[in-house]
Amino acid sequence: MKTITQRELAARSKAVLDEVEAGETYHITRNGTEIAEVRPLTTRRRFVPVEELQRKWRNAPAADYAKMRAEADEFYGDEDRVGEDDRD
């Protein structure tokens, strides 16, 4: 953990946040008194591996596209819908 002043945080915010992203924790002081803590989020990830997605979706229910279409038509109406024969 590092301690910095409010003024130093304002002057070096990008560098401080880069260090926080890398795992560092900062305590921020104002007039010599600690007023805040800046720390990394504990569960932040930049991507999810394909294997994990496959494992999580393996037991997901199958999509019923006909039911989805019927619900959309009921909600929005089907008068202005583009059909197969309307496409160019």
Side-chain angles (χ1 to χ4, degrees), residues 44-59:
R44 183 170 185 241
R45 293 193 296 180
R46 292 191 177 267
F47 70 95
V48 178
V50 171
E51 298 79 18
E52 184 176 336
L53 287 174
Q54 290 171 335
R55 191 171 52 253
K56 288 184 179 211
W57 285 91
R58 186 173 296 132
N59 298 321

Side-chain angles (χ1 to χ4, degrees), residues 17 32 34 66 73 77:
L17 292 177
E34 288 185 355
D73 287 344

